[in-house]
Amino acid sequence: MSPSLYRPFTQPGEIRLLTILPGPANSPLICHLTTQALSSTPDYELVSYIRHSTNKTLEIVIDNLPFPAQENAVAALHRLRLRSVPRHVWVDAICINRDDHEERERHILLMGRILAQARHVCVCLGESAEPKGKDKGWAGAREVVDSAWWEQVWSLPEVILGKKIVLITPEDEITWDTVERAVKERHNDVPNTHSTFHGFNRLREKWASGHWDVSIYQLLELSRHLDCEDPRDRIYALFGLEPSLTQFEIAPKYDVPAADIHLDFTRKMIQRTGRLDILNCVRPRCGTTPTESEPSPSWVPTWSSTLNEPVPFLNWSETSPNYAAGNLMKAQLRKTNGPKTLILSGVRFDQIAELGNPWHPTSAAPPTSRHGITPLDQWEQIALTTHLSCPYNGPSGRKDALWRTYIADSPADNDVPKHHETFIECWYDRVGWSSQSSGDMEKAWAKHMTDLLHKSQQTKNPLRKIKNTLDFSRHGREEYEAYCRRIYNACAHRRLLVSKRGYIGLAPWSTEVGDVIVVLHGGRTPFLLRPGSEPGVYEFVGECFVYGIMGGEGLTWEHAIAAARDFRIV
């Protein structure tokens, strides 16, 4: 690569554009590189492709000089080249000098504008996306949505910010709207990645509507499962979607190890927001992707996918948060001797006395009922055992606390109606109705629900007015399935906890007896800390749900001041 190919930028907001000169399909690629200011609104298309970590390159010619570029990027340029007129594009593999850290950092801050100003985002899906057979109308979109392109982190901002997206295969060009319709028509034919497509599409629509209320943590949680060559890009890829990151003095730095970037990001998000939402993103470290498992403190999210990963408890809403355990006071970072220690104030609320076995479902689909799931049967036995200390006013209150724990119910004014306990009782499936054959399951479910309602002592239960089995199948099944999903999201890859004071809750699967339940200032949920070998020093375990304190009941003003203490977390 000739060093003279990349000339330094002279003005803020300048980018390079690649002109693909016209030519026959199989002829060598001849290109020209120019510098343009984004403020001059240049006409260009952005090229997206499947980025692999492979070092394999192919040579093209730029300004009469040989240039080795990533194999898939070159294939994309070949596919986009026109026969008779030049084509102006921006492609990261060529338009950024990737050997220059400062230039890469500069482009991270410009990516929002680069994407938004591109006339098209041309997504080159490669050979594997070409539909087989005669189905060229894209009613069968499986090959398109199964492309590896959907599973990479940089695809997320490209989808959200791109004005017009064109998905390109070796033989065809398809608009985003066409693929959207095709996926809906063939919902059952694309089980593996249609959920990714729908998730991307919902975010794209929300951005386009101008009502963008998506938390940075929602985006980071979504991108956990996406491929990323450089772990630092899990944060940097979102800069165009979150202008507040630069306001928080968070700057891209490619000469700093990923572990240090994640640590600094965590500290600054706590410091600038006064909240501990980022700690709700910490996951058990076992099973972390090897390439991203650099050593870091227990309180720092790595943002990589892990085995047996639970869904976060928070809904990430700024206007209607589902929990407020420690919201009474803001989080404040105490001074430490080094950045790897986090000192936060709060109260020691309780300690884990007993734990149920972890529930690790093997399917992403919620089970129809609890029938045959041994850990969940065990949870009920543990939770309803008589305790000398019970904060729920006896057996009846304890039973109520358990079913609300199964769904991680919101506190007080936002909790679900009492009569919806019937749905949970049906899910318990004490009679085995869900073991019926698939053809009879709908009838078995409706019959069991109506039987439960007829036996119910709640004479004012609004559900009892639906007496006809057929009506119940039609009106109640959708709501029941919503509860099944809610139970799955709350309980999967977690274990039931019982505290020394008799509280019931949900904890990460890595929790141990003796872990301490704390309510930290600025935390929407309680958290679990594990005492270390040195007094006053703890390891961060993760978020937890404790029924009865999710609305701030464990942190009154008097308690917050009188019982507050510092926790040193490493």
Side-chain angles (χ1 to χ4, degrees), residues 346-425:
V347 298
R348 176 182 170 130
F349 181 78
D350 209 342
Q351 192 169 20
I352 304 292
E354 192 170 4
L355 289 165
N357 291 329
W359 177 39
H360 293 308
T362 56
S363 171
T368 306
S369 79
R370 188 183 65 174
H371 184 72
I373 303 176
T374 304
L376 299 183
D377 285 331
Q378 180 216 26
W379 289 10
E380 185 178 22
Q381 297 170 16
I382 293 173
L384 298 185
T385 299
T386 302
H387 287 259
L388 294 177
S389 175
C390 178
Y392 306 123
N393 299 320
S396 177
R398 200 162 189 81
K399 181 183 175 184
D400 186 73
L402 175 62
W403 75 260
R404 292 184 183 278
T405 295
Y406 273 124
I407 61 173
D409 196 17
S410 297
D413 296 339
N414 296 321
D415 60 356
V416 302
K418 170 67 175 174
H419 63 265
H420 280 209
E421 180 182 4
T422 306
F423 285 116
I424 311 302
E425 185 62 35

Coordinates of all heavy atoms in Angstrom, one line a residue, residues 346-425:
G346 N -24.9 3.0 49.8 CA -26.2 2.4 49.9 C -26.4 1.7 51.2 O -25.7 2.0 52.2
V347 N -27.4 0.8 51.3 CA -27.7 0.1 52.5 C -27.6 -1.4 52.3 O -27.9 -1.9 51.2 CB -29.1 0.4 53.1 CG1 -29.2 1.9 53.4 CG2 -30.2 0.0 52.1
R348 N -27.1 -2.1 53.3 CA -27.1 -3.6 53.3 C -28.5 -4.0 53.7 O -28.9 -3.8 54.9 CB -26.0 -4.1 54.2 CG -26.1 -5.6 54.3 CD -25.0 -6.1 55.3 NE -25.2 -7.5 55.6 CZ -24.3 -8.5 55.6 NH1 -23.1 -8.1 55.2 NH2 -24.6 -9.7 55.8
F349 N -29.3 -4.6 52.8 CA -30.7 -4.8 53.1 C -30.9 -6.2 53.7 O -31.6 -6.4 54.7 CB -31.5 -4.7 51.9 CG -33.0 -5.0 52.1 CD1 -33.8 -4.0 52.7 CD2 -33.6 -6.2 51.8 CE1 -35.1 -4.2 52.9 CE2 -34.9 -6.4 52.0 CZ -35.7 -5.5 52.6
D350 N -30.2 -7.2 53.2 CA -30.4 -8.6 53.6 C -29.3 -9.5 53.1 O -28.4 -9.0 52.4 CB -31.8 -9.1 53.1 CG -32.4 -10.1 54.0 OD1 -31.7 -10.7 54.9 OD2 -33.7 -10.3 53.9
Q351 N -29.5 -10.8 53.3 CA -28.5 -11.8 52.8 C -29.2 -13.0 52.4 O -30.2 -13.4 52.9 CB -27.5 -12.1 54.0 CG -26.2 -12.8 53.5 CD -25.2 -12.9 54.6 OE1 -25.5 -12.7 55.8 NE2 -23.9 -13.2 54.2
I352 N -28.6 -13.7 51.3 CA -29.2 -14.9 50.8 C -29.1 -16.0 51.8 O -28.0 -16.3 52.3 CB -28.5 -15.3 49.5 CG1 -28.5 -14.2 48.5 CG2 -29.1 -16.6 48.9 CD1 -29.9 -13.8 47.9
A353 N -30.2 -16.6 52.1 CA -30.3 -17.8 53.0 C -30.5 -19.1 52.3 O -29.9 -20.1 52.7 CB -31.4 -17.6 54.1
E354 N -31.2 -19.1 51.2 CA -31.5 -20.3 50.5 C -31.7 -20.0 49.0 O -32.2 -18.9 48.7 CB -32.8 -21.0 51.1 CG -33.0 -22.4 50.6 CD -34.2 -23.1 51.4 OE1 -34.8 -22.4 52.2 OE2 -34.4 -24.3 51.1
L355 N -31.3 -20.9 48.1 CA -31.5 -20.7 46.7 C -32.1 -22.0 46.0 O -31.8 -23.1 46.4 CB -30.1 -20.5 46.1 CG -29.4 -19.1 46.4 CD1 -27.9 -19.2 46.0 CD2 -30.1 -18.0 45.6
G356 N -32.9 -21.7 45.0 CA -33.4 -22.8 44.2 C -32.4 -23.1 43.1 O -31.4 -22.4 42.9
N357 N -32.6 -24.2 42.5 CA -31.7 -24.6 41.4 C -31.9 -23.7 40.2 O -33.0 -23.2 40.0 CB -31.9 -26.1 41.0 CG -31.5 -27.1 42.1 OD1 -30.6 -26.8 42.8 ND2 -32.2 -28.2 42.1
P358 N -30.8 -23.4 39.5 CA -31.0 -22.6 38.3 C -31.9 -23.2 37.2 O -31.9 -24.4 37.1 CB -29.6 -22.4 37.7 CG -28.6 -22.9 38.8 CD -29.4 -23.9 39.6
W359 N -32.6 -22.4 36.5 CA -33.4 -22.9 35.4 C -32.7 -22.4 34.1 O -32.7 -21.2 33.8 CB -34.9 -22.3 35.5 CG -35.7 -22.7 34.3 CD1 -35.7 -23.9 33.7 CD2 -36.7 -21.9 33.6 NE1 -36.6 -24.0 32.6 CE2 -37.2 -22.7 32.5 CE3 -37.1 -20.6 33.7 CZ2 -38.2 -22.3 31.7 CZ3 -38.1 -20.2 32.9 CH2 -38.6 -21.0 31.8
H360 N -32.3 -23.4 33.3 CA -31.6 -23.1 32.1 C -32.4 -23.7 30.9 O -32.1 -24.8 30.5 CB -30.1 -23.6 32.1 CG -29.2 -22.9 33.0 ND1 -29.1 -21.5 33.1 CD2 -28.4 -23.4 34.0 CE1 -28.2 -21.2 34.0 NE2 -27.8 -22.3 34.6
P361 N -33.4 -23.0 30.4 CA -34.2 -23.6 29.3 C -33.3 -23.7 28.1 O -32.4 -22.8 27.8 CB -35.3 -22.6 29.1 CG -34.8 -21.3 29.7 CD -33.9 -21.7 30.8
T362 N -33.5 -24.7 27.2 CA -32.7 -24.9 26.0 C -33.3 -24.3 24.8 O -32.7 -24.2 23.8 CB -32.5 -26.4 25.8 OG1 -33.8 -27.0 25.7 CG2 -31.7 -27.0 26.9
S363 N -34.6 -23.8 24.9 CA -35.3 -23.2 23.8 C -35.5 -21.7 24.1 O -35.7 -21.3 25.3 CB -36.6 -23.9 23.6 OG -37.4 -23.2 22.6
A364 N -35.5 -20.9 23.1 CA -35.9 -19.5 23.2 C -37.4 -19.3 23.3 O -37.8 -18.1 23.6 CB -35.3 -18.7 22.1
A365 N -38.1 -20.3 23.1 CA -39.6 -20.2 23.1 C -40.1 -20.5 24.5 O -39.6 -21.5 25.1 CB -40.2 -21.2 22.1
P366 N -40.9 -19.7 25.1 CA -41.4 -20.0 26.5 C -42.2 -21.3 26.6 O -43.0 -21.5 25.6 CB -42.3 -18.8 26.8 CG -41.9 -17.7 25.8 CD -41.5 -18.4 24.6
P367 N -42.0 -22.0 27.6 CA -42.8 -23.3 27.7 C -44.3 -22.9 28.0 O -44.6 -21.9 28.6 CB -42.2 -24.0 28.9 CG -41.6 -22.9 29.7 CD -41.1 -21.9 28.7
T368 N -45.2 -23.8 27.5 CA -46.6 -23.5 27.7 C -47.1 -23.6 29.2 O -48.0 -22.9 29.6 CB -47.4 -24.6 26.9 OG1 -47.0 -24.6 25.6 CG2 -48.9 -24.3 27.0
S369 N -46.3 -24.3 30.0 CA -46.6 -24.4 31.4 C -45.4 -24.8 32.2 O -44.3 -25.1 31.6 CB -47.8 -25.4 31.7 OG -47.3 -26.7 31.7
R370 N -45.5 -24.9 33.5 CA -44.4 -25.3 34.3 C -44.2 -26.9 34.4 O -43.2 -27.4 34.9 CB -44.7 -24.8 35.8 CG -43.5 -25.0 36.7 CD -43.9 -24.6 38.1 NE -45.0 -25.3 38.7 CZ -45.4 -25.2 39.9 NH1 -44.9 -24.3 40.7 NH2 -46.4 -25.9 40.4
H371 N -45.2 -27.6 33.8 CA -45.2 -29.0 33.9 C -43.9 -29.7 33.4 O -43.4 -29.4 32.3 CB -46.4 -29.6 33.0 CG -46.6 -31.1 33.1 ND1 -47.1 -31.7 34.2 CD2 -46.3 -32.0 32.2 CE1 -47.1 -33.0 34.0 NE2 -46.7 -33.2 32.8
G372 N -43.3 -30.5 34.3 CA -42.1 -31.2 33.9 C -40.8 -30.4 34.1 O -39.7 -30.9 33.8
I373 N -40.9 -29.2 34.5 CA -39.7 -28.4 34.7 C -39.3 -28.4 36.2 O -39.8 -27.7 37.0 CB -39.9 -26.9 34.3 CG1 -40.4 -26.9 32.8 CG2 -38.6 -26.1 34.4 CD1 -40.7 -25.5 32.3
T374 N -38.4 -29.3 36.5 CA -38.1 -29.6 37.9 C -37.6 -28.4 38.7 O -38.1 -28.2 39.9 CB -37.0 -30.7 38.0 OG1 -37.4 -31.8 37.2 CG2 -36.7 -31.1 39.4
P375 N -36.7 -27.5 38.2 CA -36.3 -26.4 39.1 C -37.5 -25.5 39.5 O -37.5 -25.0 40.6 CB -35.3 -25.6 38.2 CG -34.8 -26.7 37.2 CD -35.9 -27.6 37.0
L376 N -38.4 -25.3 38.6 CA -39.5 -24.4 38.9 C -40.5 -25.0 39.9 O -41.1 -24.3 40.7 CB -40.3 -24.0 37.6 CG -39.4 -23.3 36.5 CD1 -40.3 -22.9 35.4 CD2 -38.8 -22.0 37.1
D377 N -40.6 -26.3 39.9 CA -41.4 -27.0 40.9 C -40.7 -26.8 42.3 O -41.3 -26.6 43.3 CB -41.5 -28.5 40.6 CG -42.5 -28.8 39.5 OD1 -43.5 -28.0 39.4 OD2 -42.4 -29.8 38.8
Q378 N -39.4 -27.0 42.3 CA -38.6 -26.8 43.5 C -38.7 -25.4 44.1 O -38.8 -25.2 45.3 CB -37.1 -27.2 43.2 CG -36.2 -27.1 44.5 CD -34.8 -26.6 44.1 OE1 -34.6 -25.9 43.1 NE2 -33.9 -26.9 45.0
W379 N -38.7 -24.4 43.2 CA -38.8 -23.0 43.6 C -40.0 -22.8 44.5 O -40.0 -22.1 45.5 CB -38.9 -22.1 42.4 CG -37.6 -22.0 41.7 CD1 -36.5 -22.7 41.8 CD2 -37.3 -21.0 40.6 NE1 -35.5 -22.3 40.9 CE2 -36.0 -21.3 40.2 CE3 -38.0 -20.0 40.0 CZ2 -35.4 -20.5 39.2 CZ3 -37.4 -19.2 39.0 CH2 -36.1 -19.5 38.6
E380 N -41.2 -23.4 44.1 CA -42.4 -23.2 44.9 C -42.3 -23.8 46.2 O -42.7 -23.2 47.3 CB -43.6 -23.8 44.1 CG -44.9 -23.5 44.8 CD -46.1 -24.1 44.1 OE1 -45.9 -25.0 43.2 OE2 -47.2 -23.6 44.3
Q381 N -41.7 -25.0 46.3 CA -41.5 -25.6 47.6 C -40.6 -24.8 48.5 O -41.0 -24.6 49.7 CB -40.9 -27.0 47.4 CG -41.7 -28.0 46.6 CD -41.0 -29.2 46.2 OE1 -39.9 -29.5 46.8 NE2 -41.5 -30.0 45.2
I382 N -39.6 -24.3 48.0 CA -38.7 -23.5 48.8 C -39.3 -22.2 49.3 O -39.3 -21.8 50.5 CB -37.4 -23.1 48.0 CG1 -36.6 -24.4 47.8 CG2 -36.5 -22.1 48.8 CD1 -35.4 -24.2 46.9
A383 N -40.0 -21.5 48.4 CA -40.6 -20.2 48.7 C -41.7 -20.3 49.7 O -41.8 -19.3 50.5 CB -41.1 -19.5 47.4
L384 N -42.5 -21.3 49.6 CA -43.7 -21.4 50.5 C -43.5 -22.1 51.8 O -44.4 -22.3 52.6 CB -44.8 -22.1 49.7 CG -45.3 -21.3 48.4 CD1 -46.5 -22.0 47.8 CD2 -45.6 -19.9 48.7
T385 N -42.2 -22.5 52.0 CA -41.9 -23.1 53.3 C -42.1 -22.0 54.4 O -41.8 -20.9 54.2 CB -40.4 -23.6 53.4 OG1 -40.3 -24.6 52.4 CG2 -40.1 -24.1 54.7
T386 N -42.7 -22.4 55.5 CA -42.9 -21.5 56.6 C -41.6 -20.9 57.2 O -40.7 -21.6 57.5 CB -43.7 -22.2 57.8 OG1 -44.9 -22.8 57.3 CG2 -44.0 -21.2 58.9
H387 N -41.6 -19.6 57.2 CA -40.4 -18.9 57.8 C -40.8 -18.1 59.0 O -41.9 -17.6 59.2 CB -39.9 -17.9 56.7 CG -39.2 -18.5 55.6 ND1 -37.9 -18.6 55.5 CD2 -39.7 -19.2 54.5 CE1 -37.5 -19.2 54.4 NE2 -38.7 -19.6 53.7
L388 N -39.9 -18.2 60.0 CA -40.1 -17.5 61.3 C -40.3 -16.0 61.0 O -41.1 -15.3 61.6 CB -38.9 -17.7 62.2 CG -38.8 -19.2 62.7 CD1 -37.5 -19.3 63.6 CD2 -40.0 -19.6 63.5
S389 N -39.5 -15.5 60.0 CA -39.6 -14.1 59.7 C -40.2 -14.0 58.3 O -39.7 -14.6 57.3 CB -38.2 -13.4 59.7 OG -38.3 -12.1 59.2
C390 N -41.4 -13.4 58.1 CA -42.1 -13.3 56.8 C -42.6 -11.9 56.6 O -43.5 -11.5 57.4 CB -43.2 -14.3 56.7 SG -44.1 -14.2 55.1
P391 N -42.1 -11.2 55.6 CA -42.5 -9.8 55.4 C -43.9 -9.7 54.7 O -44.3 -8.6 54.4 CB -41.4 -9.2 54.6 CG -40.9 -10.4 53.8 CD -41.0 -11.6 54.7
Y392 N -44.5 -10.9 54.3 CA -45.7 -10.9 53.5 C -46.9 -11.2 54.2 O -47.9 -11.6 53.6 CB -45.4 -11.8 52.3 CG -44.2 -11.6 51.5 CD1 -43.2 -12.6 51.3 CD2 -43.9 -10.3 50.9 CE1 -42.1 -12.3 50.6 CE2 -42.8 -10.1 50.2 CZ -41.9 -11.1 50.1 OH -40.7 -10.9 49.3
N393 N -46.9 -11.2 55.5 CA -48.1 -11.4 56.3 C -48.7 -12.8 56.2 O -49.9 -13.0 56.0 CB -49.2 -10.3 56.0 CG -48.7 -8.9 56.3 OD1 -48.1 -8.7 57.3 ND2 -49.1 -8.0 55.4
G394 N -47.9 -13.8 56.3 CA -48.3 -15.1 56.3 C -48.4 -15.9 55.0 O -48.0 -15.4 54.0
P395 N -49.0 -17.1 55.1 CA -49.0 -18.0 53.9 C -49.7 -17.4 52.7 O -49.2 -17.6 51.5 CB -49.7 -19.3 54.4 CG -49.5 -19.3 55.9 CD -49.5 -17.8 56.3
S396 N -50.8 -16.8 52.9 CA -51.5 -16.2 51.7 C -50.7 -15.1 51.0 O -50.6 -15.1 49.8 CB -52.9 -15.6 52.2 OG -53.6 -15.0 51.1
G397 N -50.1 -14.2 51.8 CA -49.3 -13.2 51.3 C -48.1 -13.7 50.6 O -47.6 -13.2 49.6
R398 N -47.5 -14.8 51.2 CA -46.3 -15.4 50.6 C -46.6 -16.1 49.3 O -45.8 -16.0 48.3 CB -45.8 -16.5 51.6 CG -44.4 -16.8 51.4 CD -43.7 -17.5 52.6 NE -42.3 -17.6 52.3 CZ -41.4 -16.6 52.5 NH1 -41.9 -15.5 53.0 NH2 -40.2 -16.8 52.3
K399 N -47.8 -16.7 49.1 CA -48.2 -17.2 47.9 C -48.4 -16.1 46.8 O -48.0 -16.3 45.6 CB -49.6 -18.0 48.0 CG -50.1 -18.6 46.8 CD -51.4 -19.3 47.0 CE -52.0 -19.8 45.7 NZ -53.4 -20.4 45.9
D400 N -49.0 -15.0 47.2 CA -49.1 -13.9 46.3 C -47.7 -13.3 45.9 O -47.5 -13.0 44.7 CB -49.9 -12.8 47.0 CG -50.2 -11.6 46.1 OD1 -51.1 -11.8 45.2 OD2 -49.6 -10.5 46.2
A401 N -46.8 -13.3 46.8 CA -45.5 -12.8 46.5 C -44.8 -13.7 45.5 O -44.0 -13.2 44.7 CB -44.6 -12.7 47.8
L402 N -45.0 -15.0 45.6 CA -44.3 -15.9 44.7 C -44.8 -15.8 43.3 O -44.0 -15.7 42.4 CB -44.6 -17.4 45.2 CG -44.0 -18.4 44.3 CD1 -42.5 -18.3 44.2 CD2 -44.4 -19.8 44.7
W403 N -46.1 -15.7 43.1 CA -46.5 -15.6 41.7 C -46.1 -14.3 41.1 O -45.8 -14.2 39.9 CB -48.0 -16.0 41.5 CG -49.0 -15.0 41.9 CD1 -49.8 -15.0 43.0 CD2 -49.5 -13.9 41.1 NE1 -50.7 -13.9 43.1 CE2 -50.5 -13.2 41.9 CE3 -49.2 -13.3 39.9 CZ2 -51.2 -12.1 41.4 CZ3 -49.9 -12.2 39.4 CH2 -50.9 -11.6 40.2
R404 N -46.1 -13.3 41.9 CA -45.7 -12.0 41.4 C -44.2 -11.9 41.1 O -43.7 -11.2 40.2 CB -46.1 -10.8 42.3 CG -47.6 -10.6 42.4 CD -48.0 -9.5 43.3 NE -49.4 -9.3 43.4 CZ -50.2 -8.7 42.4 NH1 -49.6 -8.2 41.4 NH2 -51.5 -8.6 42.6
T405 N -43.4 -12.7 41.9 CA -42.0 -12.9 41.6 C -41.7 -13.6 40.3 O -40.8 -13.2 39.6 CB -41.3 -13.6 42.8 OG1 -41.4 -12.9 44.0 CG2 -39.9 -13.9 42.5
Y406 N -42.5 -14.6 40.0 CA -42.4 -15.3 38.8 C -42.4 -14.4 37.5 O -41.8 -14.7 36.5 CB -43.5 -16.4 38.6 CG -43.1 -17.7 39.2 CD1 -44.0 -18.3 40.2 CD2 -42.0 -18.4 38.9 CE1 -43.7 -19.5 40.8 CE2 -41.7 -19.7 39.5 CZ -42.6 -20.2 40.4 OH -42.3 -21.4 41.0
I407 N -43.2 -13.3 37.7 CA -43.3 -12.4 36.5 C -42.5 -11.1 36.8 O -42.6 -10.2 36.0 CB -44.8 -12.0 36.2 CG1 -45.5 -11.4 37.4 CG2 -45.6 -13.3 35.8 CD1 -46.9 -10.9 37.2
A408 N -41.7 -11.1 37.9 CA -41.0 -9.9 38.2 C -41.9 -8.6 38.2 O -41.6 -7.6 37.5 CB -39.8 -9.7 37.3
D409 N -43.0 -8.7 38.9 CA -44.0 -7.7 38.9 C -43.5 -6.3 39.3 O -42.7 -6.2 40.2 CB -45.2 -8.1 39.8 CG -46.4 -7.4 39.6 OD1 -46.6 -6.8 38.5 OD2 -47.3 -7.4 40.4
S410 N -44.0 -5.3 38.7 CA -43.7 -3.9 39.0 C -44.4 -3.6 40.3 O -45.4 -4.2 40.7 CB -44.2 -3.0 37.9 OG -43.5 -3.2 36.7
P411 N -43.8 -2.7 41.1 CA -44.3 -2.4 42.4 C -45.6 -1.5 42.4 O -45.9 -0.8 41.5 CB -43.2 -1.6 43.1 CG -42.5 -1.0 42.0 CD -42.6 -1.9 40.8
A412 N -46.3 -1.7 43.5 CA -47.4 -0.7 43.9 C -48.4 -0.4 42.7 O -49.1 -1.3 42.3 CB -46.9 0.5 44.5
D413 N -48.4 0.8 42.3 CA -49.4 1.3 41.3 C -49.3 0.6 40.0 O -50.3 0.6 39.3 CB -49.3 2.8 41.1 CG -49.6 3.6 42.4 OD1 -50.2 3.0 43.3 OD2 -49.1 4.7 42.5
N414 N -48.2 0.0 39.7 CA -48.0 -0.6 38.4 C -48.2 -2.1 38.4 O -47.9 -2.8 37.4 CB -46.7 -0.2 37.8 CG -46.5 1.3 37.5 OD1 -47.5 1.9 37.1 ND2 -45.4 1.8 37.8
D415 N -48.5 -2.7 39.5 CA -48.6 -4.2 39.6 C -49.8 -4.7 38.8 O -50.8 -4.0 38.6 CB -48.6 -4.7 41.0 CG -49.7 -4.2 41.8 OD1 -50.5 -3.4 41.3 OD2 -49.8 -4.6 43.0
V416 N -49.8 -6.0 38.5 CA -50.8 -6.6 37.7 C -52.0 -6.8 38.6 O -51.9 -7.0 39.8 CB -50.4 -7.8 37.0 CG1 -49.2 -7.6 36.0 CG2 -50.1 -8.9 38.0
P417 N -53.2 -6.9 38.1 CA -54.4 -7.1 38.9 C -54.4 -8.5 39.6 O -53.9 -9.4 39.1 CB -55.6 -7.1 37.9 CG -55.1 -6.3 36.7 CD -53.6 -6.6 36.7
K418 N -54.9 -8.5 40.8 CA -54.9 -9.7 41.6 C -55.6 -10.9 40.9 O -55.1 -12.0 41.0 CB -55.7 -9.4 43.0 CG -56.0 -10.6 43.8 CD -54.7 -11.3 44.4 CE -55.0 -12.4 45.3 NZ -53.8 -13.2 45.7
H419 N -56.7 -10.6 40.1 CA -57.4 -11.7 39.5 C -56.6 -12.4 38.4 O -56.9 -13.5 38.0 CB -58.7 -11.2 39.0 CG -58.6 -10.2 37.9 ND1 -58.7 -8.8 38.1 CD2 -58.5 -10.3 36.5 CE1 -58.6 -8.2 37.0 NE2 -58.5 -9.1 36.0
H420 N -55.5 -11.8 38.0 CA -54.6 -12.4 37.0 C -53.8 -13.5 37.5 O -53.1 -14.2 36.8 CB -53.7 -11.4 36.3 CG -54.5 -10.6 35.2 ND1 -53.8 -10.0 34.2 CD2 -55.8 -10.2 35.1 CE1 -54.7 -9.4 33.4 NE2 -55.9 -9.5 34.0
E421 N -53.9 -13.7 38.9 CA -53.3 -14.9 39.5 C -53.8 -16.2 38.8 O -53.1 -17.2 38.8 CB -53.5 -14.9 41.0 CG -52.9 -16.1 41.7 CD -53.2 -16.1 43.2 OE1 -54.0 -15.2 43.6 OE2 -52.7 -17.0 43.9
T422 N -55.0 -16.2 38.3 CA -55.6 -17.3 37.7 C -54.7 -17.8 36.5 O -54.5 -19.0 36.2 CB -57.0 -17.1 37.2 OG1 -57.8 -16.6 38.3 CG2 -57.6 -18.3 36.6
F423 N -54.2 -16.9 35.7 CA -53.3 -17.2 34.6 C -52.1 -17.9 35.1 O -51.6 -18.9 34.5 CB -52.9 -16.0 33.8 CG -53.9 -15.4 32.9 CD1 -54.5 -14.1 33.2 CD2 -54.4 -16.1 31.9 CE1 -55.4 -13.6 32.4 CE2 -55.4 -15.6 31.0 CZ -55.9 -14.3 31.3
I424 N -51.5 -17.5 36.2 CA -50.3 -18.1 36.8 C -50.6 -19.5 37.3 O -49.8 -20.4 37.2 CB -49.6 -17.2 37.8 CG1 -49.5 -15.7 37.3 CG2 -48.3 -17.7 38.3 CD1 -48.7 -15.6 36.0
E425 N -51.8 -19.6 38.0 CA -52.2 -20.9 38.5 C -52.3 -21.9 37.4 O -52.0 -23.1 37.5 CB -53.5 -20.7 39.3 CG -53.9 -22.0 40.0 CD -52.9 -22.5 41.1 OE1 -52.3 -21.6 41.7 OE2 -52.8 -23.7 41.2

